Amino acid sequence: MRNKIDFIQKWEYPQVVEVWEASVRATHHFLNEEGIQYFKPLILNTYLDAVNLRAYRNHEKEIIAFLGVDQSNLEMLFVHPDYRGQGIGALLLQYAIKDLKIDKVDVNEQNEQAVGFYEHYQFKTQSRSELDATGKPYPILHMQLEKFGT
């Protein structure tokens, strides 16, 4: 399965945003349509260029999940809802930890599924912000991977 993880080209960004939007609609129930439309151009035009991107592709080489990393921070991990529950998110997270050396992630507190996902993989909340990075009232949990034996 690891050979399905590869780089994303800039011309593929619209496909990445499609995966992001489908995933957000399935998991970010606290975001209304206005919120989704606010973030969509930021993702496309700003956020994707700011991170080290990797895609997970299906057999047709279509992007069905992706992650973005900045230094040791996992900035984004999204799986298309048609492919959730198949271990793709876990595979991408383990890849990010092992190969991209991440140990931190910021998670929307209201996205309880994501919080539970990261807690399952030994991330613990270190702090909380009332506002997200854009100043919107979506509380963020700053989580860090617990290191064992260090």
Side-chain angles (χ1 to χ4, degrees), residues 33-48:
E33 187 63 29
E34 181 183 328
I36 291 170
Q37 295 309 319
Y38 171 82
F39 285 108
K40 197 171 171 179
L42 286 173
I43 297 290
L44 179 62
N45 300 315
T46 305
Y47 296 163
L48 294 180

Side-chain angles (χ1 to χ4, degrees), residues 33-74:
E33 187 63 29
E34 181 183 328
I36 291 170
Q37 295 309 319
Y38 171 82
F39 285 108
K40 197 171 171 179
L42 286 173
I43 297 290
L44 179 62
N45 300 315
T46 305
Y47 296 163
L48 294 180
D49 281 332
V51 293
N52 182 356
L53 288 169
R54 295 292 188 280
Y56 185 91
R57 299 175 189 271
N58 65 13
H59 297 297
E60 289 82 39
K61 305 272 189 253
E62 298 166 324
I63 297 170
I64 59 172
F66 72 95
L67 61 76
V69 170
D70 181 28
Q71 297 177 20
S72 64
N73 297 298
L74 179 62

Side-chain angles (χ1 to χ4, degrees), residues 27-28 30 73-78 93 102 104-119 123-133 138-144:
T27 59
H28 291 55
F30 55 92
N73 297 298
L74 179 62
E75 298 290 344
M76 50 184 81
L77 192 163
F78 292 93
L93 179 61
I102 68 105
K104 293 190 252 336
V105 64
D106 290 345
V107 184
N108 287 102
E109 182 178 63
Q110 295 150 298
N111 185 351
E112 294 174 4
Q113 291 176 6
V115 173
F117 172 78
Y118 292 111
E119 287 175 343
F123 282 81
K124 303 290 182 219
T125 299
Q126 303 298 311
S127 62
R128 180 182 184 273
S129 300
E130 281 294 321
L131 306 176
D132 71 6
Y138 304 120
I140 300 294
L141 299 179
H142 307 285
M143 302 180 82
Q144 184 153 4

